[in-house]
Amino acid sequence: MTCDGTVNAAYVYLTEPQAGVRSAHMHPCDPVDVDGMINLDFDEQGRLIGIEVPAAGSKLPAYLLRSAERQDTEGS
């Protein structure tokens, strides 16, 4: 998982980040159903490869955000 505190977003990888798997299709979840946007990324074969979580501070537990690889300088 990566986290960027400057934009309050996190990304949960369901593959090895170093594997270089690219998203071929993004499916946004209904913001009303999840109280904000969450995006699901799929590869060319239709497999779920990652979850983008905008507003991560209000959607994910603090311990997950603390343990995430930082993509910003905040929290390093």
Side-chain angles (χ1 to χ4, degrees), residues 40-59:
L40 305 177
D41 287 337
F42 295 87
D43 68 8
E44 298 86 19
Q45 287 77 39
R47 294 177 294 222
L48 182 62
I49 60 170
I51 305 166
E52 179 187 15
V53 185
S58 65
K59 302 257 181 288

PDB file of all heavy atoms in Angstrom, residues 40-59:
ATOM      1  N   LEU A  40     -11.644   1.105  -8.519  1.00  0.00           N
ATOM      2  CA  LEU A  40     -11.108  -0.248  -8.665  1.00  0.00           C
ATOM      3  C   LEU A  40     -10.391  -0.331 -10.004  1.00  0.00           C
ATOM      4  O   LEU A  40     -10.959   0.014 -11.038  1.00  0.00           O
ATOM      5  CB  LEU A  40     -12.234  -1.275  -8.620  1.00  0.00           C
ATOM      6  CG  LEU A  40     -13.136  -1.222  -7.387  1.00  0.00           C
ATOM      7  CD1 LEU A  40     -14.259  -2.250  -7.519  1.00  0.00           C
ATOM      8  CD2 LEU A  40     -12.346  -1.450  -6.119  1.00  0.00           C
ATOM      9  N   ASP A  41      -9.137  -0.798  -9.994  1.00  0.00           N
ATOM     10  CA  ASP A  41      -8.351  -0.954 -11.216  1.00  0.00           C
ATOM     11  C   ASP A  41      -8.280  -2.427 -11.616  1.00  0.00           C
ATOM     12  O   ASP A  41      -8.016  -3.287 -10.777  1.00  0.00           O
ATOM     13  CB  ASP A  41      -6.924  -0.432 -11.014  1.00  0.00           C
ATOM     14  CG  ASP A  41      -6.859   1.081 -10.960  1.00  0.00           C
ATOM     15  OD1 ASP A  41      -7.775   1.741 -11.488  1.00  0.00           O
ATOM     16  OD2 ASP A  41      -5.878   1.594 -10.398  1.00  0.00           O
ATOM     17  N   PHE A  42      -8.505  -2.683 -12.906  1.00  0.00           N
ATOM     18  CA  PHE A  42      -8.475  -4.036 -13.452  1.00  0.00           C
ATOM     19  C   PHE A  42      -7.443  -4.130 -14.567  1.00  0.00           C
ATOM     20  O   PHE A  42      -7.208  -3.151 -15.280  1.00  0.00           O
ATOM     21  CB  PHE A  42      -9.853  -4.403 -14.024  1.00  0.00           C
ATOM     22  CG  PHE A  42     -10.924  -4.479 -12.985  1.00  0.00           C
ATOM     23  CD1 PHE A  42     -11.625  -3.344 -12.602  1.00  0.00           C
ATOM     24  CD2 PHE A  42     -11.230  -5.684 -12.383  1.00  0.00           C
ATOM     25  CE1 PHE A  42     -12.615  -3.399 -11.635  1.00  0.00           C
ATOM     26  CE2 PHE A  42     -12.224  -5.754 -11.413  1.00  0.00           C
ATOM     27  CZ  PHE A  42     -12.915  -4.612 -11.036  1.00  0.00           C
ATOM     28  N   ASP A  43      -6.824  -5.318 -14.728  1.00  0.00           N
ATOM     29  CA  ASP A  43      -5.875  -5.519 -15.824  1.00  0.00           C
ATOM     30  C   ASP A  43      -6.613  -5.954 -17.088  1.00  0.00           C
ATOM     31  O   ASP A  43      -7.849  -6.009 -17.108  1.00  0.00           O
ATOM     32  CB  ASP A  43      -4.764  -6.506 -15.434  1.00  0.00           C
ATOM     33  CG  ASP A  43      -5.249  -7.937 -15.241  1.00  0.00           C
ATOM     34  OD1 ASP A  43      -6.422  -8.261 -15.542  1.00  0.00           O
ATOM     35  OD2 ASP A  43      -4.437  -8.758 -14.780  1.00  0.00           O
ATOM     36  N   GLU A  44      -5.864  -6.280 -18.133  1.00  0.00           N
ATOM     37  CA  GLU A  44      -6.458  -6.651 -19.421  1.00  0.00           C
ATOM     38  C   GLU A  44      -7.307  -7.914 -19.342  1.00  0.00           C
ATOM     39  O   GLU A  44      -8.213  -8.116 -20.147  1.00  0.00           O
ATOM     40  CB  GLU A  44      -5.370  -6.868 -20.485  1.00  0.00           C
ATOM     41  CG  GLU A  44      -4.546  -5.643 -20.795  1.00  0.00           C
ATOM     42  CD  GLU A  44      -3.363  -5.483 -19.836  1.00  0.00           C
ATOM     43  OE1 GLU A  44      -2.954  -6.460 -19.168  1.00  0.00           O
ATOM     44  OE2 GLU A  44      -2.862  -4.363 -19.737  1.00  0.00           O
ATOM     45  N   GLN A  45      -7.025  -8.796 -18.381  1.00  0.00           N
ATOM     46  CA  GLN A  45      -7.781 -10.038 -18.232  1.00  0.00           C
ATOM     47  C   GLN A  45      -8.981  -9.879 -17.295  1.00  0.00           C
ATOM     48  O   GLN A  45      -9.667 -10.846 -16.988  1.00  0.00           O
ATOM     49  CB  GLN A  45      -6.875 -11.160 -17.699  1.00  0.00           C
ATOM     50  CG  GLN A  45      -5.892 -11.700 -18.713  1.00  0.00           C
ATOM     51  CD  GLN A  45      -4.703 -10.769 -18.914  1.00  0.00           C
ATOM     52  OE1 GLN A  45      -4.207 -10.173 -17.964  1.00  0.00           O
ATOM     53  NE2 GLN A  45      -4.252 -10.631 -20.143  1.00  0.00           N
ATOM     54  N   GLY A  46      -9.221  -8.657 -16.821  1.00  0.00           N
ATOM     55  CA  GLY A  46     -10.356  -8.414 -15.947  1.00  0.00           C
ATOM     56  C   GLY A  46     -10.092  -8.719 -14.483  1.00  0.00           C
ATOM     57  O   GLY A  46     -11.031  -8.768 -13.689  1.00  0.00           O
ATOM     58  N   ARG A  47      -8.826  -8.912 -14.121  1.00  0.00           N
ATOM     59  CA  ARG A  47      -8.486  -9.193 -12.722  1.00  0.00           C
ATOM     60  C   ARG A  47      -8.308  -7.886 -11.964  1.00  0.00           C
ATOM     61  O   ARG A  47      -7.683  -6.953 -12.464  1.00  0.00           O
ATOM     62  CB  ARG A  47      -7.206 -10.014 -12.624  1.00  0.00           C
ATOM     63  CG  ARG A  47      -7.355 -11.409 -13.203  1.00  0.00           C
ATOM     64  CD  ARG A  47      -6.054 -12.136 -13.134  1.00  0.00           C
ATOM     65  NE  ARG A  47      -5.090 -11.465 -14.014  1.00  0.00           N
ATOM     66  CZ  ARG A  47      -4.240 -12.071 -14.806  1.00  0.00           C
ATOM     67  NH1 ARG A  47      -4.173 -13.379 -14.820  1.00  0.00           N
ATOM     68  NH2 ARG A  47      -3.418 -11.396 -15.577  1.00  0.00           N
ATOM     69  N   LEU A  48      -8.837  -7.846 -10.739  1.00  0.00           N
ATOM     70  CA  LEU A  48      -8.675  -6.686  -9.879  1.00  0.00           C
ATOM     71  C   LEU A  48      -7.219  -6.587  -9.449  1.00  0.00           C
ATOM     72  O   LEU A  48      -6.660  -7.542  -8.896  1.00  0.00           O
ATOM     73  CB  LEU A  48      -9.580  -6.802  -8.652  1.00  0.00           C
ATOM     74  CG  LEU A  48      -9.564  -5.646  -7.667  1.00  0.00           C
ATOM     75  CD1 LEU A  48     -10.046  -4.353  -8.319  1.00  0.00           C
ATOM     76  CD2 LEU A  48     -10.433  -5.992  -6.459  1.00  0.00           C
ATOM     77  N   ILE A  49      -6.570  -5.457  -9.754  1.00  0.00           N
ATOM     78  CA  ILE A  49      -5.146  -5.323  -9.445  1.00  0.00           C
ATOM     79  C   ILE A  49      -4.857  -4.255  -8.394  1.00  0.00           C
ATOM     80  O   ILE A  49      -3.769  -4.218  -7.840  1.00  0.00           O
ATOM     81  CB  ILE A  49      -4.329  -5.026 -10.714  1.00  0.00           C
ATOM     82  CG1 ILE A  49      -4.797  -3.733 -11.377  1.00  0.00           C
ATOM     83  CG2 ILE A  49      -4.376  -6.214 -11.670  1.00  0.00           C
ATOM     84  CD1 ILE A  49      -3.891  -3.245 -12.503  1.00  0.00           C
ATOM     85  N   GLY A  50      -5.825  -3.381  -8.114  1.00  0.00           N
ATOM     86  CA  GLY A  50      -5.578  -2.355  -7.124  1.00  0.00           C
ATOM     87  C   GLY A  50      -6.810  -1.548  -6.796  1.00  0.00           C
ATOM     88  O   GLY A  50      -7.794  -1.547  -7.539  1.00  0.00           O
ATOM     89  N   ILE A  51      -6.727  -0.851  -5.655  1.00  0.00           N
ATOM     90  CA  ILE A  51      -7.830  -0.030  -5.179  1.00  0.00           C
ATOM     91  C   ILE A  51      -7.283   1.344  -4.822  1.00  0.00           C
ATOM     92  O   ILE A  51      -6.392   1.461  -3.980  1.00  0.00           O
ATOM     93  CB  ILE A  51      -8.499  -0.654  -3.944  1.00  0.00           C
ATOM     94  CG1 ILE A  51      -8.950  -2.085  -4.249  1.00  0.00           C
ATOM     95  CG2 ILE A  51      -9.653   0.216  -3.455  1.00  0.00           C
ATOM     96  CD1 ILE A  51      -9.317  -2.889  -3.018  1.00  0.00           C
ATOM     97  N   GLU A  52      -7.804   2.374  -5.489  1.00  0.00           N
ATOM     98  CA  GLU A  52      -7.422   3.751  -5.186  1.00  0.00           C
ATOM     99  C   GLU A  52      -8.431   4.315  -4.188  1.00  0.00           C
ATOM    100  O   GLU A  52      -9.637   4.218  -4.407  1.00  0.00           O
ATOM    101  CB  GLU A  52      -7.413   4.599  -6.451  1.00  0.00           C
ATOM    102  CG  GLU A  52      -7.041   6.032  -6.181  1.00  0.00           C
ATOM    103  CD  GLU A  52      -7.183   6.918  -7.406  1.00  0.00           C
ATOM    104  OE1 GLU A  52      -7.842   6.501  -8.388  1.00  0.00           O
ATOM    105  OE2 GLU A  52      -6.661   8.023  -7.373  1.00  0.00           O
ATOM    106  N   VAL A  53      -7.910   4.897  -3.102  1.00  0.00           N
ATOM    107  CA  VAL A  53      -8.776   5.412  -2.044  1.00  0.00           C
ATOM    108  C   VAL A  53      -8.507   6.900  -1.823  1.00  0.00           C
ATOM    109  O   VAL A  53      -7.642   7.275  -1.036  1.00  0.00           O
ATOM    110  CB  VAL A  53      -8.568   4.630  -0.726  1.00  0.00           C
ATOM    111  CG1 VAL A  53      -9.570   5.089   0.328  1.00  0.00           C
ATOM    112  CG2 VAL A  53      -8.668   3.130  -0.952  1.00  0.00           C
ATOM    113  N   PRO A  54      -9.229   7.776  -2.540  1.00  0.00           N
ATOM    114  CA  PRO A  54      -9.163   9.197  -2.216  1.00  0.00           C
ATOM    115  C   PRO A  54      -9.794   9.415  -0.834  1.00  0.00           C
ATOM    116  O   PRO A  54     -10.611   8.597  -0.391  1.00  0.00           O
ATOM    117  CB  PRO A  54      -9.994   9.867  -3.300  1.00  0.00           C
ATOM    118  CG  PRO A  54     -10.074   8.862  -4.407  1.00  0.00           C
ATOM    119  CD  PRO A  54     -10.041   7.525  -3.725  1.00  0.00           C
ATOM    120  N   ALA A  55      -9.437  10.478  -0.158  1.00  0.00           N
ATOM    121  CA  ALA A  55      -9.924  10.751   1.210  1.00  0.00           C
ATOM    122  C   ALA A  55      -9.591   9.586   2.125  1.00  0.00           C
ATOM    123  O   ALA A  55     -10.403   9.156   2.949  1.00  0.00           O
ATOM    124  CB  ALA A  55     -11.411  11.065   1.209  1.00  0.00           C
ATOM    125  N   ALA A  56      -8.381   9.049   1.956  1.00  0.00           N
ATOM    126  CA  ALA A  56      -7.951   7.859   2.687  1.00  0.00           C
ATOM    127  C   ALA A  56      -8.011   8.031   4.199  1.00  0.00           C
ATOM    128  O   ALA A  56      -8.298   7.077   4.925  1.00  0.00           O
ATOM    129  CB  ALA A  56      -6.533   7.471   2.267  1.00  0.00           C
ATOM    130  N   GLY A  57      -7.763   9.241   4.685  1.00  0.00           N
ATOM    131  CA  GLY A  57      -7.780   9.486   6.120  1.00  0.00           C
ATOM    132  C   GLY A  57      -9.121   9.192   6.766  1.00  0.00           C
ATOM    133  O   GLY A  57      -9.177   8.839   7.946  1.00  0.00           O
ATOM    134  N   SER A  58     -10.197   9.300   6.018  1.00  0.00           N
ATOM    135  CA  SER A  58     -11.519   9.023   6.572  1.00  0.00           C
ATOM    136  C   SER A  58     -12.046   7.647   6.173  1.00  0.00           C
ATOM    137  O   SER A  58     -13.097   7.234   6.651  1.00  0.00           O
ATOM    138  CB  SER A  58     -12.525  10.095   6.120  1.00  0.00           C
ATOM    139  OG  SER A  58     -12.717  10.044   4.722  1.00  0.00           O
ATOM    140  N   LYS A  59     -11.326   6.929   5.320  1.00  0.00           N
ATOM    141  CA  LYS A  59     -11.805   5.637   4.824  1.00  0.00           C
ATOM    142  C   LYS A  59     -11.013   4.435   5.351  1.00  0.00           C
ATOM    143  O   LYS A  59     -11.535   3.331   5.397  1.00  0.00           O
ATOM    144  CB  LYS A  59     -11.737   5.609   3.295  1.00  0.00           C
ATOM    145  CG  LYS A  59     -12.530   6.685   2.631  1.00  0.00           C
ATOM    146  CD  LYS A  59     -13.798   6.129   2.094  1.00  0.00           C
ATOM    147  CE  LYS A  59     -14.636   7.153   1.399  1.00  0.00           C
ATOM    148  NZ  LYS A  59     -15.259   8.112   2.276  1.00  0.00           N
TER     149      LYS A  59
END
